[in-house]
């Protein structure tokens, strides 16, 4: 066989293999896809995952089934997906706590970067800084002044150790130079109930569940945690604008696959998720909670995760927060 003929056959086979692979990914999925969530049904992460999963089912013609696997602050689910086949049929829906976990848990059975292929950062949303009306602080600067005048005299609630609502305050304390006492709850709902009852004076809470109480005068919202004002509550300044320059903390929702999932398949899923979250139905539902569609590329989400994990490790090192 001549060299020229051999090269021609090799090129043809390579092209055929690429075409087959492309065709395979375009046909995906050919069976149901499991989307694992490490938190209980009914929470923000679960709701967001289900909204996107339903739309993906509609777009791609196969069911995307949400599988809630709770335990160990979500890490049981992360470890399960990390060890799953990298074929696109087991995916992971995560929130901002995913980037906080490596900093607050001393031992993990998976690597949050090496064991996963980021697909897309789908949604971002701010949190509200809230106080009970009895607290003599009408804005962020007054709250800081109050906390500085009375170190460790103010309690703040959270959804639990290492959660986004906990770490939002740890970041605030570190950047504002104040000391408050952490009161962890088993979920934001319990913490919100105690804030309304005046049992705790300060809380970071999501817009959707807290706005009705703000409008009724039962809570006072001081600011939003994002770097800019939220379209859901444009009258509120950002914390950075109101007295803590550089402060930025958002909750977010993203999707991951096990490491080794074919790049073409990851790109296909990323493209589909971007279409879904930027569609009118999802955008309408998310805007009520101040959420904004992102629909990032895998490369953008990878860089985002690297930065977020590094940021929270720095905050944890400075504050000494630990779960174990």
């Amino acid at each position: 066989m001549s060299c020229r003929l051999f090269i021609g056959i090799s090129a043809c086979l390579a092209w055929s293999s690429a075409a087959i692979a492309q065709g395979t990914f375009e046909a995906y999925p050919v069976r149901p896809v499991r989307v694992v969530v490490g938190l209980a049904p009914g929470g923000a992460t679960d709701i967001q995952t289900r909204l996107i999963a339903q739309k993906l089912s509609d777009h791609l013609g196969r069911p995307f089934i949400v599988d809630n696997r709770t335990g160990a602050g979500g890490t049981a689910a992360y470890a399960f997906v990390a060890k799953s086949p990298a074929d696109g049929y087991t995916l992971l829906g995560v929130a901002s706590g995913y980037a906080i976990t490596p900093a607050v848990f001393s031992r993990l059975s998976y690597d949050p970067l090496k064991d996963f292929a980021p697909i897309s950062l789908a949604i971002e949303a701010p949190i509200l800084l809230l106080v009970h009306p009895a607290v003599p602080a009408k804005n962020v600067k007054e709250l800081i002044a109050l906390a500085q005048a009375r170190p460790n005299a103010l309690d703040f609630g959270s959804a639990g150790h290492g959660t986004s609502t906990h770490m939002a305050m740890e970041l605030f304390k570190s950047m504002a130079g104040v000391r408050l006492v952490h009161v962890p709850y088993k979920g934001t709902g319990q913490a919100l109930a105690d804030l309304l009852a005046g049992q705790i004076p300060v809380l970071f809470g999501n817009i959707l569940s807290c706005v009705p109480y703000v409008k009724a005068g039962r809570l006072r919202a001081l600011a939003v945690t994002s770097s800019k004002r939220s379209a859901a509550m444009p009258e509120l300044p950002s914390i950075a604008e109101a007295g803590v320059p550089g402060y930025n903390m958002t909750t977010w929702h993203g999707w991951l696959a096990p490491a080794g999932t074919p790049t073409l398949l990851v790109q296909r899923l990323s493209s589909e998720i971007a279409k879904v979250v930027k569609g009118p139905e999802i955008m309408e539902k998310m805007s009520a909670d101040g959420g904004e569609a992102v629909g990032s590329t895998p490369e953008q989400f990878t860089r985002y995760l690297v930065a977020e994990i590094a940021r929270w490790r720095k905050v944890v090192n400075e504050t000494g927060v630990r779960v174990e």
Side-chain angles (χ1 to χ4, degrees), residues 1-10:
M1 181 183 296
S2 71
C3 181
R4 182 176 298 175
L5 178 59
F6 177 78
I7 292 173
I9 292 173
S10 297

Side-chain angles (χ1 to χ4, degrees), residues 10-36:
S10 297
C12 183
L13 288 173
W15 180 86
S16 298
S17 297
I20 290 170
Q22 181 69 37
T24 299
F25 297 136
E26 287 178 355
Y28 168 89
V30 296
R31 64 177 191 270
V33 177
R34 173 165 50 183
V35 187
V36 178

Side-chain angles (χ1 to χ4, degrees), residues 236-257:
L236 284 182
S238 67
I239 290 177
E241 175 189 349
V244 188
Y247 186 97
N248 182 26
M249 161 71 182
T250 60
T251 58
W252 52 263
H253 176 68
W255 285 43
L256 305 167

Side-chain angles (χ1 to χ4, degrees), residues 8 14 19-20 40 68 81 84 96 98 101-102 104 112 117 124-125 127 160 191 201 208 226 262 268 320-322:
I20 290 170
N68 297 88
V81 175
S84 296
S96 46
Y98 179 83
T101 296
V104 297
E124 280 190 295
I127 310 174
L208 191 62
S226 50
R268 171 95 193 279
V321 176
R322 283 289 185 276

Side-chain angles (χ1 to χ4, degrees), residues 18-187:
I20 290 170
Q22 181 69 37
T24 299
F25 297 136
E26 287 178 355
Y28 168 89
V30 296
R31 64 177 191 270
V33 177
R34 173 165 50 183
V35 187
V36 178
V37 174
L39 300 169
T45 304
D46 175 70
I47 291 170
Q48 290 166 348
T49 303
R50 290 179 187 277
L51 284 172
I52 295 172
Q54 181 57 57
K55 285 299 178 183
L56 287 176
S57 301
D58 296 341
H59 285 200
L60 299 178
R62 298 284 180 178
F64 280 68
I65 302 168
V66 176
D67 179 7
N68 297 88
R69 289 177 173 260
T70 60
T75 61
Y78 308 157
F80 173 80
V81 175
K83 295 175 175 61
S84 296
D87 57 6
Y89 289 92
T90 302
L91 307 176
L92 180 65
V94 297
S96 46
Y98 179 83
I100 297 170
T101 296
V104 297
F105 281 81
S106 60
R107 293 179 301 275
L108 294 174
S109 62
Y110 64 90
D111 187 297
L113 296 173
K114 294 179 181 178
D115 289 340
F116 295 92
I119 298 171
S120 181
L121 172 63
I123 298 164
E124 280 190 295
I127 310 174
L128 290 177
L129 173 56
L130 301 154
V131 296
H132 187 271
V135 175
K138 299 294 193 298
N139 54 53
V140 172
K141 287 184 178 179
E142 290 182 1
L143 178 64
I144 292 172
L146 181 65
Q148 288 175 337
R150 300 166 56 193
N152 293 322
L154 292 175
D155 295 337
F156 74 94
S158 82
H161 285 290
T163 59
S164 58
T165 52
H166 175 202
M167 298 309 294
M169 179 56 83
E170 293 296 343
L171 182 62
F172 180 83
K173 287 164 55 182
S174 175
M175 295 184 70
V178 295
R179 287 183 288 166
L180 292 86
V181 178
H182 182 211
V183 181
Y185 289 81
K186 294 181 179 179

Side-chain angles (χ1 to χ4, degrees), residues 113 116-119 296-307:
L113 296 173
F116 295 92
I119 298 171
S296 77
T297 66
E299 295 78 16
Q300 290 169 333
F301 192 22
T302 298
R303 291 193 296 269
Y304 185 88
L305 281 175
V306 169

